[in-house]
């Protein structure tokens, strides 16, 4: 494999992994009754619609059919790809959920 082919493979792998990160985020949102597009816009208000997020939304399943996506997992994959703004918004949603749970007990 020459250098150009190797670089192309690395790029393809990154894009595939990035798509998986977006899917994890989208499914986590669905599982918690949150709108992934609204959260994304909160994190990145200057960006137009995200085509990769729209594509990931087509792959999500209803929360009743989905496996659990732990909070640490979604935060980890967001951090891995440097999505600090989105990780901050997700963290705020986690805090809200835990606070509501605490007041319901």
């Amino acid at each position: 494999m020459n250098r150009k082919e190797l670089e192309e493979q690395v790029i393809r792998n990154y894009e595939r992994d990035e798509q998986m990160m977006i899917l994890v985020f989208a499914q986590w949102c669905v599982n918690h009754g949150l709108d992934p597009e609204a959260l994304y816009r909160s994190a990145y208000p200057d960006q137009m619609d995200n085509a990769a997020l729209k594509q990931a939304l087509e792959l999500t399943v209803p929360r009743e059919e989905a496996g659990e996506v732990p909070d640490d997992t979604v935060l980890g994959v967001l951090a891995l790809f440097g999505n600090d703004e989105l990780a901050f918004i997700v963290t705020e949603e986690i805090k809200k959920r835990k606070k509501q749970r605490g007041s319901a007990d």
Side-chain angles (χ1 to χ4, degrees):
M1 182 179 292
N2 67 35
R3 183 181 174 133
K4 182 170 175 54
E5 290 171 333
L6 182 60
E7 288 173 357
E8 289 172 356
Q9 182 177 358
V10 167
I11 291 168
R12 281 192 306 275
N13 288 345
Y14 179 86
E15 289 170 346
R16 183 192 67 229
D17 292 347
E18 183 179 42
Q19 187 62 35
M20 184 56 67
M21 177 267 307
I22 295 167
L23 180 57
V24 167
F25 162 73
Q27 189 64 59
W28 177 88
C29 289
V30 169
N31 289 359
H32 293 285
L34 301 168
D35 179 351
E37 292 176 304
L39 291 184
Y40 186 86
R41 278 191 303 276
S42 294
Y44 304 107
D46 296 332
Q47 289 189 14
M48 300 303 278
D49 290 338
N50 183 314
L53 179 56
K54 288 193 181 298
Q55 184 180 16
L57 287 172
E58 294 174 9
L59 299 173
T60 61
V61 296
R63 76 171 96 176
E64 300 79 27
E65 298 174 22
E68 182 184 355
V69 179
D71 296 341
D72 289 343
T73 298
V74 72
L75 290 172
V77 296
L78 291 173
L80 187 64
F81 282 86
N83 277 311
D84 298 332
E85 293 87 354
L86 193 52
F88 176 79
I89 298 296
V90 166
T91 300
E92 293 300 306
E93 291 297 327
I94 292 168
K95 287 179 185 176
K96 286 182 199 174
R97 185 180 75 233
K98 288 182 178 180
K99 187 176 181 181
Q100 288 172 346
R101 229 190 271 152
S103 64
D105 292 336

